[in-house]
Amino acid sequence: ISDIIATIDEPHPITVMATRHARADVPDGEDEFTDWLVDRWLEMDDWIHAQLTTGPHPSQPTEPTLIEP
């Protein structure tokens, strides 16, 4: 991430969402895994859309966390 941040000319806030999934929740079969992964991407798309249209969720910190390059 610091490499990406280092390429930004002007400081801008970057919002990141990270989600952990228990290994037991991740399917083993290739087709099942692909379907599961597509569902995660759709969840991320929904989250991005919400960020762009309604702003951050109230539970998100109001103060940014600075990550130095």
Side-chain angles (χ1 to χ4, degrees):
I1 292 178
S2 64
D3 291 342
I4 295 170
I5 293 171
T7 65
I8 299 172
D9 292 335
E10 295 180 33
H12 296 282
I14 298 173
T15 303
V16 177
M17 181 181 80
T19 306
R20 295 182 68 180
H21 298 277
R23 177 64 187 104
D25 294 339
V26 180
D28 289 328
E30 185 174 342
D31 290 340
E32 294 84 3
F33 176 73
T34 299
D35 292 343
W36 179 87
L37 192 57
V38 167
D39 288 343
R40 301 301 70 79
W41 280 109
L42 292 173
E43 288 172 5
M44 182 60 69
D45 285 346
D46 290 344
W47 180 80
I48 291 170
H49 178 73
Q51 295 294 306
L52 294 174
T53 56
T54 61
H57 188 275
S59 67
Q60 290 180 321
T62 56
E63 294 297 319
T65 301
L66 182 61
I67 301 174
E68 295 291 336

